[in-house]
Amino acid sequence: MYATGSTTKSFTAAAMSMIIDDTAKSKNPITWTTPISSIIRDDYVLTDAYATTHLTIEDALSHRTGLPSHDYALISSSSPQEAVRRLRYLPFSAEIRTKFQYCNLGFVTISHVIETITGKWLGDFFRERIWEPLMMTSTYFSVHDVIKANKTDGTLARGYFYLKGVNIQIPEPYLDSPAISGAGNIFSTVEDYAKYLQSMLYFRPPISLRGHIDLRTPRSIVGLGLVGEGPVTYSLGWDLRTYYGAEIIEHQGGLPGFSSYMLYLPSSGYGFVLMANAGEIGNIALSVLMGDLLNTHLRVPERQQIDWMSIYDYYLEYRDAQLNKSRENLYPDAPPQEEAMLPSLPIEDYAGTYTHPAYETMKVEVLDLEKVRPGAGLNGTSKVLHAKFGGFLKYDLSFSHVNGEHWLVWESLHKGSNHSQVMAATKAEFEIGSDGRVKQLGAVLEAAMGDDKMWFTKVA
């Protein structure tokens, strides 16, 4: 049994199609174009009044709300309702319905919508309306659900993270947060998912014919595909593309320590499910295997086949090279380190507690350089600013001084007791008030927001 990550999204959309069917003849029917705020009015408040009243169920399930991922707000939440209520503090990065932007919070929002309409936990709705009719007897909604069913002994796979450089596999703790909900909380098996794919392939119950058609109708343009592929679009929890003339409907999933891939070809009745107990390296392996299976099934000539392994090798090499050049990429106009202006205040004055209503509290402290990322100290000193950030998924933030009040922040995830993995780098800035004290800490938390920062207020 594996954590299946974002493949959960298709079940959330399928559940919504059932509610649409259930209410079709009622006094107040629910449709794909029903405004979200008409169902969870008190919880669903956005920074844009028009978007608040006009964004629909369909918009949230097709990643076209205008909101970027804002995953840091999601991992700061303890329930779907709490995650939805954080949206009122999060900025848009595009006009609604103008751009595809993958956003887990959209599916978390619809999870809250479904639970509000039905009065049931989403996991119970899935089980009663989808899993039991399909005899998916080894599918659960969260680690807690698995433990409750007493399926952990020899049944639940342990996820691993491959740590480059030392060439070891580190066991990952199970990610167990109710907030993820319909965005990625399912645990299941290949056999159970195969039953689900068969129902999708042949328009079988429990989803209605109308529901099946809706679920595979394109809603958003994702972008251009690779050679041999048509444009990639997104429906309701599914990616759609063509590969050498064959229509493909698919979705990937990933959580710390786990990867999954499900795919089917409507025209030939062919499909497959792949699962792995590894994170990024598992995702790469499944993608390469996916390509091989498709090439074999479609009999694509070898010279025309996409070389997925070479693509991923190039991507990883490029990503690592860009990470190593983070300072010059993020601060191209900054002076050399030896010519940089020192911060206005002693480094100890920047330590403290910083808050933002959409995120977990950030506690910044001064640590000795040997304990964190080498080279992060202030102008050759052994002192460095460091913080832990996040909620059910914790990040270590190491601040490397650039110039004046501008800093480079290295984002790392703990992997085991003695290892961490640098995942990304971003820009940060401290604001000094008229009283000569630190007032705010701003950090770029969303790539889609450009240089716009989220500002945390120093409260202690």
Side-chain angles (χ1 to χ4, degrees):
M1 188 184 304
Y2 300 82
T4 65
S6 286
T7 60
T8 302
K9 289 179 170 66
S10 72
F11 290 88
T12 303
M16 196 68 240
S17 76
M18 293 175 174
I19 291 174
I20 289 173
D21 290 340
D22 292 346
T23 63
K25 296 181 180 180
S26 68
K27 183 178 179 180
N28 296 300
I30 304 294
T31 71
W32 297 114
T33 57
T34 295
I36 297 169
S37 61
S38 68
I39 303 171
I40 50 172
R41 190 177 307 278
D42 292 340
D43 294 329
Y44 195 70
V45 178
L46 307 174
T47 57
D48 181 276
Y50 181 86
T52 298
T53 56
H54 287 79
L55 280 173
T56 67
I57 293 169
E58 179 183 28
D59 294 327
L61 293 177
S62 54
H63 300 300
R64 64 185 195 193
T65 62
L67 289 166
S69 70
H70 285 308
D71 277 343
Y72 282 120
L74 175 57
I75 67 174
S76 298
S77 306
S78 60
S79 70
Q81 182 181 28
E82 181 184 341
V84 172
R85 292 186 69 86
R86 291 181 187 269
L87 292 173
R88 66 194 64 201
Y89 306 111
L90 298 172
F92 285 75
S93 56
E95 295 294 326
I96 67 172
R97 305 187 190 113
T98 62
K99 186 178 182 180
F100 175 88
Q101 295 184 112
Y102 197 91
C103 181
N104 286 307
L105 281 165
F107 280 79
V108 172
T109 298
I110 301 307
S111 303
H112 182 34
V113 166
I114 294 172
E115 292 180 340
T116 299
I117 294 171
T118 64
K120 295 180 179 181
W121 178 51
L122 185 59
D124 287 337
F125 189 89
F126 283 168
R127 176 163 288 107
E128 295 170 11
R129 299 294 300 272
I130 302 175
W131 301 338
E132 288 182 352
L134 292 175
M135 293 186 289
M136 295 172 65
T137 57
S138 297
T139 302
Y140 299 91
F141 200 58
S142 79
V143 173
H144 179 75
D145 201 23
V146 175
I147 294 172
K148 184 179 177 181
N150 196 28
K151 295 290 186 179
T152 56
D153 186 15
T155 302
L156 179 60
R158 166 62 69 181
Y160 290 87
F161 177 85
Y162 175 72
L163 191 63
K164 293 184 300 181
V166 293
N167 195 32
I168 59 174
Q169 300 278 1
I170 300 174
E172 291 269 27
Y174 295 111
L175 193 61
D176 187 21
S177 172
I180 302 174
S181 193
N185 227 16
I186 288 178
F187 283 75
S188 189
T189 64
V190 168
E191 291 85 353
D192 269 12
Y193 260 51
K195 297 173 184 176
Y196 178 59
L197 275 196
Q198 286 175 341
S199 73
M200 301 303 295
L201 264 169
Y202 301 114
F203 290 73
R204 291 175 182 167
I207 302 169
S208 69
L209 176 60
R210 181 69 260 171
H212 276 291
I213 294 172
D214 288 342
L215 292 175
R216 60 171 68 179
T217 300
R219 260 76 176 185
S220 301
I221 298 175
V222 178
L224 296 175
L226 299 172
V227 175
E229 296 184 321
V232 180
T233 60
Y234 198 88
S235 182
L236 307 167
W238 292 95
D239 288 296
L240 298 90
R241 62 185 170 102
T242 60
Y243 184 57
Y244 287 103
E247 180 188 10
I248 294 172
I249 302 177
E250 63 186 348
H251 210 289
Q252 290 178 275
L255 285 176
F258 291 95
S259 302
S260 59
Y261 207 123
M262 61 179 183
L263 175 154
Y264 68 98
L265 284 68
S267 60
S268 61
Y270 176 78
F272 54 78
V273 180
L274 308 172
M275 296 181 183
N277 58 332
E280 181 179 62
I281 195 170
N283 179 58
I284 293 172
L286 297 189
S287 295
V288 172
L289 180 55
M290 173 276 300
D292 288 344
L293 290 170
L294 277 182
N295 287 329
T296 300
H297 175 71
L298 296 174
R299 299 181 180 180
V300 178
E302 185 174 351
R303 67 181 183 277
Q304 295 178 340
Q305 295 177 9
I306 295 176
D307 186 349
W308 287 102
M309 194 67 249
S310 294
I311 291 173
Y312 277 105
D313 283 342
Y314 173 80
Y315 162 73
L316 293 174
E317 183 178 340
Y318 175 80
R319 186 192 62 183
D320 290 346
Q322 292 304 302
L323 188 61
N324 290 331
K325 298 195 301 182
S326 293
R327 188 181 190 277
E328 58 188 277
N329 288 340
L330 295 174
Y331 290 102
D333 299 325
Q337 193 67 62
E338 61 273 11
E339 299 177 13
M341 293 189 300
L342 290 172
S344 304
L345 303 171
I347 192 170
E348 290 78 8
D349 289 3
Y350 295 89
T353 302
Y354 295 80
T355 63
H356 186 289
Y359 305 100
E360 281 286 299
T361 296
M362 186 188 301
K363 293 185 177 181
V364 179
E365 56 184 338
V366 178
L367 293 184
D368 190 83
L369 182 60
E370 283 78 20
K371 298 179 180 178
V372 292
R373 183 179 171 85
L378 178 59
N379 282 11
T381 72
S382 62
K383 295 179 177 180
V384 65
L385 290 176
H386 180 266
K388 291 189 181 297
F389 183 56
F392 57 80
L393 193 62
K394 292 288 187 185
Y395 284 83
D396 283 338
L397 306 181
S398 297
F399 292 71
S400 178
H401 183 251
V402 176
N403 191 34
E405 303 305 330
H406 298 272
W407 301 69
L408 182 68
V409 179
W410 300 97
E411 306 171 29
S412 303
L413 276 173
H414 270 300
K415 300 298 178 182
S417 57
N418 300 313
H419 302 281
S420 64
Q421 178 72 45
V422 177
M423 309 300 291
T426 190
K427 299 168 74 171
E429 177 184 358
F430 289 95
E431 180 184 339
I432 310 300
S434 57
D435 59 357
R437 298 179 179 180
V438 177
K439 182 179 178 182
Q440 294 187 102
L441 165 60
V444 176
L445 299 180
E446 285 295 335
M449 301 298 299
D451 284 340
D452 290 347
K453 300 179 178 69
M454 303 301 291
W455 288 94
F456 292 71
T457 302
K458 192 171 188 289
V459 295

